[in-house]
């Protein structure tokens, strides 16, 4: 009997690793100069969410 | 093993292991919060609740990182195998910490308005087309759902009823979930942190796990495609009996990607499939303990001659016919039905050994 998913496991990481590393780095480079949490903005009246950034 | 189900499979070692983990988690959260209060005395993250949310999130991510590292580490060195044996409890604990992180964040950020907190989670921030303002909470929620499914189906009841193949495929969702968590962190906490320490630590963590999986995956792939078995009159040549360490096995590739584990014990040689019935663990990396082939992953056992688990268990694995001719061990690549008794080849007997 063959151990299934051996090749799928390897291929998955082969795809996920560069994709994640490149995208995460690119996204991080786009972070705002002033983080949202530091901006003196009011919480929207249309939302019940407190800004969690 | 499959004799009966227990809600939680504890034994003395697992209880000790779980106590260590609970202690380590409490220590990690405590240190994280103490350091956080020291390094962020003012601002959004100085709030103890916000800090607790972050502490729980970082703890869950760290635990998941450890879980994902255990598999490849155990393939690199058997010293890590005991961690593999206890990995399931660690996974359920990780889900518990993630649930605390999710619950606290939901209550703190989304329960004060008129909307249902879960609706608010998705509706309060519509900036799905923005990178800096992306609602990163949704990524964490998606990963949390995967962790929930994995924790809920972690029991052997589901493993047996879904089959190892389906169960394994389903639990491979943990890898995309881990990637979702990386983006949850990058688009969330890392958008507000000015220090480069946090992104560097996140990058090193992710790349370390990736490197471990890629290295071991590449090794397995090479093992599948690089090893060429010698075939003689339809039989696969394994090597000399002395090439097999006593009470251990040599793993040999078979046609169609299968692998056979050829064990030596009591001056005899027997061959079984390399895949354990439980989670397809590599039996050939295990040992013969008390006369039984013992899987290195979770300790499932089988008799070498017939591939049947000792009573009261009933699991069966495929066996292979084996013979020794002219001082060489040969295996018939055609598997016998699971549980089929085969005569072991006796080391030292002259001439062909009928099987």
């Amino acid at each position: 009997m063959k151990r299934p998913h051996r090749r799928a496991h390897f291929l998955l990481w082969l795809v996920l690793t560069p994709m994640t590393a490149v995208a995460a780095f690119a996204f991080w480079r786009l972070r705002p100069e002033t983080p949202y949490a530091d901006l003196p903005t009011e919480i929207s009246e249309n939302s019940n969410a407190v800004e969690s950034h | 093993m499959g004799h009966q189900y227990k809600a939680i499979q504890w034994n003395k070692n697992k209880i000790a292991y779980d106590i260590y983990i609970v202690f380590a988690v409490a220590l990690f959260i405590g240190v994280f919060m103490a350091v956080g209060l020291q390094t962020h005395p003012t601002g959004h993250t100085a709030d103890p609740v916000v800090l607790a949310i972050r502490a729980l999130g970082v703890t869950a991510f760290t635990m998941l990182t450890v879980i994902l590292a255990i598999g490849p580490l155990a393939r690199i060195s058997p010293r890590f195998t005991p961690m593999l044996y206890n990995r399931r409890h660690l996974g359920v604990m990780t889900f518990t910490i993630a649930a605390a992180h999710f619950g606290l964040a939901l209550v703190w950020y989304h329960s004060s308005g008129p909307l249902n907190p879960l609706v608010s989670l998705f509706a309060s921030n519509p900036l799905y087309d923005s990178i800096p303002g992306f609602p990163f909470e949704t990524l964490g929620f998606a990963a949390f759902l995967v962790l929930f499914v994995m924790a809920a189906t972690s029991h052997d009841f589901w493993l047996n009823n879904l089959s190892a193949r389906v169960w394994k495929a389903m639990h491979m969702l943990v890898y995309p979930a881990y990637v979702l968590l990386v983006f949850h962190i990058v688009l969330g906490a890392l958008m507000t942190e000015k220090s480069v320490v946090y992104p560097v630590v996140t990058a090193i963590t992710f790349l370390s796990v990736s490197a471990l999986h890629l290295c071991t995956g590449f090794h397995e792939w090479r093992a599948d495609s690089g090893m060429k078995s010698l075939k003689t009159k339809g039989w696969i040549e394994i090597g000399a009996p002395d090439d097999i360490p006593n009470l251990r096995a040599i793993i040999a590739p078979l046609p169609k990607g299968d692998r056979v584990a050829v064990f030596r014990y009591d001056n005899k040689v027997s061959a079984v499939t390399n895949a354990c019935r439980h989670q397809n663990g590599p039996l050939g990396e295990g040992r013969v303990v008390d006369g039984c082939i013992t899987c290195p992953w979770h300790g499932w056992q089988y008799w070498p001659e017939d591939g049947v688990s000792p009573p009261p268990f009933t699991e069966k694995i495929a066996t292979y016919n084996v013979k020794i001719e002219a001082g060489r061990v040969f295996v018939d690549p055609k598997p016998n039905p699971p549980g089929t008794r085969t005569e072991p080849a006796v080391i030292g007997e002259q001439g062909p050994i009928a099987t």
Side-chain angles (χ1 to χ4, degrees):
Chain A
M1 183 184 162
K2 177 163 49 177
R3 285 184 63 211
H5 312 307
R6 228 165 25 210
R7 191 157 292 183
H9 173 270
F10 178 51
L11 291 175
L12 190 64
W13 278 102
L14 206 58
V15 171
L16 286 180
T17 301
M19 189 195 78
T20 306
V22 170
F25 181 69
F27 292 171
W28 179 72
R29 290 287 301 270
L30 293 172
R31 71 194 183 284
E33 284 277 319
T34 305
Y36 278 21
D38 295 347
L39 292 174
T41 50
E42 296 295 324
I43 298 166
S44 167
E45 288 179 6
N46 297 324
S47 163
N48 59 344
V50 177
E51 179 55 68
S52 53
H53 267 290
Chain B
M1 295 170 75
H3 176 52
Q4 59 183 5
Y5 297 116
K6 287 182 182 172
I8 303 173
Q9 292 179 342
W10 262 322
N11 56 38
K12 194 178 167 187
N13 289 336
K14 288 204 173 199
I15 288 172
Y17 178 87
D18 288 351
I19 289 171
Y20 287 138
I21 297 298
V22 169
F23 178 75
V25 166
L27 186 69
F28 187 93
I29 291 173
V31 169
F32 185 94
M33 291 195 67
V35 171
L37 286 171
Q38 289 292 319
T39 55
H40 296 73
T42 59
H44 178 62
T45 50
D47 189 307
V49 177
V50 174
L51 200 54
I53 291 170
R54 286 205 171 183
L56 290 166
V58 171
T59 305
F61 182 72
T62 305
M63 290 171 78
L64 190 58
T65 301
V66 170
I67 287 169
L68 293 188
I70 289 173
L73 283 174
R75 299 201 69 74
I76 291 168
S77 167
R79 280 180 302 174
F80 295 99
T81 307
M83 293 178 73
L84 194 67
Y85 181 63
N86 294 290
R87 186 170 57 173
R88 221 184 295 193
H89 284 206
L90 191 58
V92 174
M93 269 194 258
T94 301
F95 167 73
T96 308
I97 301 292
H101 167 75
F102 170 67
L104 195 55
L106 199 65
V107 168
W108 186 248
Y109 292 114
H110 296 278
S111 66
S112 57
L115 290 176
N116 179 299
L118 275 176
V119 175
S120 171
L121 180 73
F122 289 94
S124 60
N125 178 4
L127 299 175
Y128 285 91
D129 57 348
S130 160
I131 294 299
F134 190 87
F136 65 93
E137 301 93 333
T138 53
L139 302 176
F141 181 70
F144 176 71
L145 286 182
V146 173
L147 293 184
F148 169 74
V149 170
M150 293 183 62
T153 60
S154 65
H155 200 274
D156 272 350
F157 171 84
W158 291 105
L159 179 60
N160 285 342
N161 284 285
L162 291 171
S163 81
R165 180 180 285 268
V166 172
W167 190 88
K168 269 283 177 191
M170 199 167 76
H171 280 237
M172 277 176 69
L173 284 173
V174 70
Y175 305 133
Y178 188 67
V179 168
L180 282 173
L181 287 179
V182 169
F183 284 111
H184 174 68
I185 294 167
V186 169
L187 296 173
L190 297 192
M191 287 288 152
T192 64
E193 289 293 346
K194 292 166 187 166
S195 167
V196 293
V197 171
Y198 301 98
V200 167
V201 169
T202 307
I204 289 173
T205 303
F206 171 73
L207 291 175
S208 300
V209 170
S210 297
L212 280 171
H213 280 270
L214 284 171
C215 286
T216 50
F218 181 67
H219 181 263
E220 292 284 313
W221 175 72
R222 265 194 14 177
D224 272 341
S225 55
M227 289 191 299
K228 299 294 179 197
S229 298
L230 290 173
K231 259 188 165 183
T232 307
K233 295 177 184 173
W235 289 67
I236 303 287
E237 185 176 340
I238 303 300
D242 287 345
D243 293 341
I244 310 172
N246 193 33
L247 303 179
R248 291 196 175 269
I250 281 182
I251 301 170
L254 295 173
K256 300 176 186 174
D258 292 353
R259 289 182 187 175
V260 63
V262 186
F263 279 89
R264 177 182 167 188
Y265 58 100
D266 299 338
N267 218 34
K268 294 181 283 188
V269 174
S270 288
V272 298
T273 174
N274 191 45
C276 179
R277 269 278 286 128
H278 183 215
Q279 290 188 18
N280 296 313
L283 287 174
E285 295 176 24
R287 292 189 304 136
V288 176
V289 178
D290 297 332
C292 288
I293 295 167
T294 305
C295 181
W297 280 11
H298 301 96
W300 283 38
Q301 292 189 305
Y302 310 92
W303 298 116
E305 293 88 352
D306 57 13
V308 175
S309 293
F313 305 106
T314 56
E315 282 75 19
K316 295 172 185 173
I317 54 173
T319 57
Y320 290 82
N321 294 336
V322 61
K323 65 181 180 182
I324 298 176
E325 276 184 3
R328 308 294 289 176
V329 178
F330 293 88
V331 169
D332 184 349
K334 188 182 168 196
N336 298 310
T340 303
R341 181 171 181 81
T342 58
E343 282 303 314
V346 179
I347 298 171
E349 287 190 1
Q350 295 299 311
I353 309 268
T355 54

